[in-house]
Amino acid sequence: MRIAIDARIINSGTGRYIERLLHYLEEIDHTNEYLILVRQADLGYYKPSQPNFKIIEAEYGNYSFGEQFGLARLLYKLKPDLVHFCMPQQPLLYIRPAVTSVLDLNLLRITANDDMNPVELRIKKAIFGAMLWIVSHRTKHVISISNYTKEDVMRFSGIKADKITVAYPAADKAKGAPQPLPEFEGKPFIMYVGRAEPYKNNRGLILAHQQLLQRDPDLRLVIVGRKDVLREADIKWVSDHNYKNVAFLGFVTDEQLAWLYGNARAYVFPSFMEGFGLPGLEAMLYGAPVAASHASCIPEILGDAAVYFDAHNQDEMVRVVGGLIHDDKQRAELIERGKLQAQKYSWRRMAEQILDVYNHNAPKKP
């Protein structure tokens, strides 16, 4: 069987999902032929290690005319038996067998985004909604990353449960030893890892941290994540308000991140919505006690290995996080529960489930 995988977002915030899928497909499937579609800038980002995996350049942007016409033309030329679109955006002119991953429906719920004007946001939401509805009905099968997302897709599109497979992602440990960051050694800090979109509630966390300073004036908040336009806006907002003890680290290595997780008083996950919530699980894997919002899929993924708060209630966030960082018994219990919770998930098992979806949805050979 010849399978094309649309990996044009492999170097984006959700690219880890695709990279890990490809890594484990290479381990478990030496029979099928795989054509991995990536954009020109990412040609060196993923390098196949097996002869049945081949890179194909596909320089077509998301939601573009090139995607609708050029990508469709390329796929018809490649003649795959099945295409895996790793996001709902895909050429509507391509009508041959395909399966589609839907990671979340967050864009439909976003009400503000500081790097996009309101008209642009409304247009993008309308396009995404229309695309998702069409794709959900037309694709042979949908792959989701949580039961929450599965039920979300069912409510939105009206498709049946047996058309959706939940294949959970997982967290990975860095191969190297944890690498300390000297500026934080021996100092108390809480941390957050992720993007800076408003629905991630970074500013709510920062405001809660400023309240925590009233009791713990030396407590730092460490924020890890790419310094894009939204993050730079948050940095300016912190400076303009003269907020204290907030460190924006930008990119850190996996080994540095491992050290931060292992030395944090708590990992705080304040999102208003998520499709899976990988950083919370990653924090548990490295031994950080987790305080999280009880929004969307987060309790499904983190289970009883976290303490929860209402992301819309800043005082509650302060109470829960403040209680956690001062309760050594609770911290120890959550650390142990977190490690067990993280072990329930497996990238390899996810790849096996998705391979099973391929096998069940590809056209039967005569």
Side-chain angles (χ1 to χ4, degrees), residues 98-110:
V99 298
T100 300
S101 288
V102 179
L103 306 187
D104 61 61
L105 276 65
N106 291 346
L107 180 57
L108 297 179
R109 296 189 175 91
I110 292 173

Side-chain angles (χ1 to χ4, degrees), residues 17-237:
Y17 170 79
I18 301 174
E19 187 275 328
R20 290 288 85 188
L21 170 62
L22 296 176
H23 175 86
Y24 284 101
L25 283 175
E26 287 193 34
E27 282 193 4
I28 65 177
D29 188 1
H30 300 150
T31 303
N32 292 312
E33 177 188 2
Y34 288 89
L35 306 174
I36 313 303
L37 279 57
V38 301
R39 301 190 68 170
Q40 184 178 36
D42 300 326
L43 289 173
Y45 185 80
Y46 161 71
K47 296 180 180 179
S49 61
Q50 299 297 326
N52 57 323
F53 285 72
K54 180 182 178 182
I55 293 289
I56 303 292
E57 182 179 337
E59 187 54 32
Y60 308 109
N62 294 325
Y63 303 106
S64 68
F65 286 108
E67 179 179 71
Q68 291 302 312
F69 297 100
L71 182 56
R73 185 167 54 248
L74 173 62
L75 289 170
Y76 281 121
K77 180 180 178 182
L78 294 173
K79 298 180 180 179
D81 297 301
L82 185 73
V83 178
H84 180 184
F85 293 106
C86 293
M87 294 289 278
Q89 55 263 32
Q90 55 193 259
L92 298 179
L93 293 174
Y94 187 77
I95 57 174
R96 290 180 179 170
V99 298
T100 300
S101 288
V102 179
L103 306 187
D104 61 61
L105 276 65
N106 291 346
L107 180 57
L108 297 179
R109 296 189 175 91
I110 292 173
T111 57
N113 196 328
D114 292 341
D115 70 342
M116 198 182 305
N117 67 56
V119 174
E120 183 184 358
L121 179 59
R122 284 197 296 271
I123 292 172
K124 191 169 183 178
K125 290 170 70 171
I127 293 173
F128 177 80
M131 178 76 73
L132 179 60
W133 195 92
I134 293 169
V135 166
S136 297
H137 286 269
R138 195 174 69 177
T139 196
K140 290 182 70 67
H141 205 77
V142 173
I143 302 164
S144 75
I145 56 175
S146 66
N147 278 307
Y148 179 87
T149 297
K150 174 180 178 176
E151 292 168 5
D152 227 6
V153 173
M154 290 167 58
R155 282 192 296 268
F156 176 79
S157 67
I159 64 173
K160 301 298 184 182
D162 60 3
K163 193 178 181 178
I164 307 176
T165 291
V166 176
Y168 287 119
D172 277 330
K173 272 198 171 183
K175 293 180 180 179
Q179 181 182 344
L181 281 77
E183 62 268 40
F184 301 111
E185 285 189 286
K187 297 175 182 176
F189 64 90
I190 59 175
M191 65 179 292
Y192 166 82
V193 179
R195 303 197 303 274
E197 280 85 352
Y199 76 86
K200 296 286 188 177
N201 197 22
N202 284 207
R203 294 192 181 186
L205 172 57
I206 292 167
L207 290 172
H209 169 255
Q210 295 303 295
Q211 283 188 241
L212 288 168
L213 291 179
Q214 296 173 18
R215 179 179 179 184
D216 298 284
D218 295 327
L219 182 69
R220 296 189 180 191
L221 169 60
V222 176
I223 296 178
V224 178
R226 185 177 60 181
K227 290 187 178 180
D228 56 10
V229 172
L230 293 172
R231 175 84 3 105
E232 292 293 348
D234 281 353
I235 293 172
K236 183 178 185 301
W237 178 76

